[in-house]
Every structure is written in structure tokens, then in C-alpha cells.
Amino acid sequence: MPELPLPVIDLSPLASLHTDATDTTRLATHLGKALETDGFAYLINVPLTFGHDKVFSLAKAFFRLPEDEKLCLAKKRFQRNNSNTYRGFFPAQNGSDNLKEGFEMGPSGLPVTSGWARKPINLTEASVWPTESSAPGLRQDTEKLHGELQDLSSKLLSLLAIALGKEPSCFEHYLDGSVSTLRYLHYPAINSPSPHQELCCTPHTDSGILTLLHQDSTGGLEVLSPDARWVAAPYVPGSLVINIGDLMAKVSGGRFRATHHRVRSSPGKDRYSVPFFFEPGVDCAVHSVREDDQAVIYGEHVLGKMQGWVEFQDLE
């Protein structure tokens, strides 16, 4: 493998039913160090049944749908007659430097919490789906992918707990009522980007716990290095990219870095990516490992962050 700008973490030990404690500790230490210094890392030998080709075939199947069918699934911000506010489709905003369309879905079978159902953005609402005749197998396969990424996140949380000197079960309560989001993204090709479209996603940190990213071979992801340089994070076949969110940085007492990242336009090329955002339950009290810090209620935290996201504005 060529030299890469980010650490590479081999998850092979997670595939074993009887992983040696020494191997687990070594893996946790390696992962923890990467997230302390860079906040990002490549994960290889990931225990998923979905290869990259299958993941991106699902994303492309959705974005090939006619525009009117996608708009039937659009969030209320874009289709006022629709009731879904958190899950569903959002169209690309032409002329924006966040030029992408997306489709977001949550866990299946999540009970709707009545208190949250009355809020302008309902974090516990059910996912919306195209009809089976329009997109055969899309819902079934996507729900399976979501479940596998949730299971992987659970294993990674155990490793992060060990890296922080805690018991592996320290973050298990994050899984109760978890509202994790799987997002299909399409960045349409721009033949001659104007200066304000050189970036198709502006610099930002993720808001939550951790993100697992499938990126395609188009490239464009850039990460702000510890010495304040923008560094390309190219596609590595078969890998996922992991990064830490603001809330996990807080949980770690500042040990883990929530790193700024952006996406540079690739003239003439469509780009697809599939991030999975691990999210705790909406009422989960998230504490720092430093016991003097005040707990954060996850739902309140993410609603505050959403005020700056275009797909969730004007819903009051």
C-alpha cells in the first residue's frame, strides 16, 4: 500500500469470535492514538458483508430515480406538503458551495418518541422509501447495511472506551434508542466550477460521536492536518474512513480530535459518498470521561447544530 496521509487501522481482529485480549488492547491503542493525533483514519479489513461496489450501486439506484419520485420523499424544508422533517431526500442547491443531493435514513423499527414528534424536527421519525417497484431491493439492502454499520460502530465504541482507560461497556448506553443516520450523497459533475464552487462541501466538523465513510474513487476529501495544512485523503480500495465528531471529542476530555474536513470539486466528474453517522438515543445523557464536565442531552445538542444546516432551516 502506498504511503497515505492518514493512519491505517487493520480491523482483522474484529472478525474473530474469540479475539485475544492482548490483540484487542493493541487495536484499541492503535485506534486511539490515530484519533488523538489526526482525528481521522482509514479502516481496512472491515467486517461488513457489503463491498464498495454494492454500497455505491445502492446509492446510484436511488439517484437514478426520476426527480418527481425523489421529491415525493423530500424533507418538509423542500416540499411543504410532506411531513418528514429529518429523514428523506434533499435536492442539490444550485449556485451553492455545498453542491450535493442526499437521501437519509435511520434505523428500522425505532419507536417514535411523543415529545420529539411535536418538535419542528422529529429526530425519531420513521424513514421514508421509494416504492419497491421503483427501486427493487433498495429498502431491504439499505436497512441491512445500516444494521451492519451500527454493529461495527458498537465494536468501535468498545475500542474507544478501552483507549480511554475505561471498561469496554462504558458507552453501551449510547446504543439504547440510537438514531444513527445512513446518508447516500451525490455531488453532481461541474464542468467549469466558478470560484465559489471549487468546494462542493465547505470545511466543517461532524457534530456527533463518530462517522464511518464509504468514498468512491473520484477523490476530493481533504482533511486539516495537525499543522494546519489541507491534505488530500484519497480513496483506498475496500477501506472505510473513520472520523471523530464534536461530541466524542468532548466525551474523551479533549483527547480525541474533531477534525475539520472539506470536499474539493472534481471538474467533469460525479462523486458519490456514503457516510454513516453513529448517533445515540435522543434522550441519552452524554458525559465526558472527565467527571467535572456537565452532561449533554444528545437530541438537544444536535438540534442546536442543525440551525446552520440548509436542509433543516425554515421549519419553525
Side-chain angles (χ1 to χ4, degrees):
M1 183 179 294
E3 185 175 349
L4 294 167
L6 300 174
V8 178
I9 311 296
D10 187 345
L11 296 185
S12 295
L14 295 185
S16 172
L17 294 176
H18 305 288
T19 303
D20 182 87
T22 302
D23 290 340
T24 300
T25 301
R26 185 182 299 115
L27 178 57
T29 301
H30 192 191
L31 178 61
K33 183 173 178 56
L35 298 179
E36 287 178 18
T37 56
D38 294 272
F40 267 77
Y42 290 103
L43 304 178
I44 61 172
N45 295 317
V46 179
L48 298 175
T49 65
F50 289 80
H52 272 217
D53 288 347
K54 178 62 175 177
V55 171
F56 288 112
S57 74
L58 294 172
K60 292 175 182 178
F62 177 81
F63 293 116
R64 280 196 303 266
L65 292 173
E67 195 68 14
D68 60 340
E69 291 190 36
K70 290 188 288 187
L71 287 174
C72 285
L73 305 172
K75 301 178 186 189
K76 188 178 182 67
R77 159 73 171 80
F78 304 100
Q79 287 288 100
R80 288 295 178 178
N81 291 330
N82 290 355
S83 60
N84 50 303
T85 57
Y86 189 45
R87 307 300 183 189
F89 172 67
F90 61 89
Q93 303 302 291
N94 292 324
S96 167
D97 55 4
N98 278 295
L99 184 60
K100 60 182 181 290
E101 60 177 338
F103 179 57
E104 301 179 320
M105 64 294 295
S108 58
L110 183 71
V112 175
T113 304
S114 58
W116 286 93
R118 293 191 293 269
K119 293 182 180 292
I121 301 173
N122 178 11
L123 301 178
T124 65
E125 72 184 11
S127 301
V128 293
W129 299 97
T131 63
E132 180 66 16
S133 59
S134 295
L138 179 69
R139 176 174 182 172
Q140 179 180 354
D141 287 344
T142 299
E143 288 182 337
K144 185 172 187 288
L145 175 60
H146 187 291
E148 290 191 13
L149 289 166
Q150 181 78 355
D151 289 344
L152 175 57
S153 298
S154 173
K155 294 180 174 69
L156 293 169
L157 284 170
S158 294
L159 294 175
L160 295 182
I162 295 169
L164 292 170
K166 301 296 182 181
E167 291 296 318
S169 61
C170 178
F171 302 130
E172 273 187 2
H173 63 290
Y174 290 2
L175 303 172
D176 297 336
S178 168
V179 292
S180 297
T181 296
L182 179 62
R183 179 183 293 170
Y184 293 150
L185 290 175
H186 171 222
Y187 299 79
I190 306 174
N191 290 326
S192 299
S194 58
H196 74 278
Q197 289 180 327
E198 291 181 359
L199 300 177
C200 50
C201 184
T202 53
H204 64 284
T205 57
D206 292 345
S207 62
I209 300 295
L210 61 85
T211 303
L212 300 174
L213 174 70
H214 285 87
Q215 63 169 333
D216 71 5
S217 59
T218 303
L221 176 64
E222 295 182 341
V223 175
L224 191 63
S225 69
D227 59 356
R229 293 180 299 111
W230 286 107
V231 178
Y235 167 72
V236 173
S239 71
L240 294 183
V241 176
I242 183 175
N243 67 279
I244 286 299
D246 296 331
L247 202 51
M248 192 66 200
K250 174 183 172 62
V251 167
S252 72
R255 282 182 57 183
F256 299 151
R257 295 181 65 228
T259 301
H260 280 82
H261 50 289
R262 65 187 187 183
V263 180
R264 183 170 293 282
S265 298
S266 299
K269 294 182 179 179
D270 288 89
R271 179 181 187 268
Y272 294 88
S273 68
V274 180
F276 177 83
F277 302 96
F278 174 80
E279 302 177 76
V282 291
D283 296 316
C284 179
V286 180
H287 297 266
S288 169
V289 293
R290 291 170 48 187
E291 296 180 359
D292 57 335
D293 280 0
Q294 186 175 1
V296 172
I297 303 302
Y298 177 71
E300 297 173 0
H301 165 80
V302 76
L303 283 181
K305 289 282 188 176
M306 284 178 178
Q307 294 177 9
W309 301 347
V310 64
E311 62 265 36
F312 298 109
Q313 292 174 4
D314 303 325
L315 286 174
E316 295 297 335

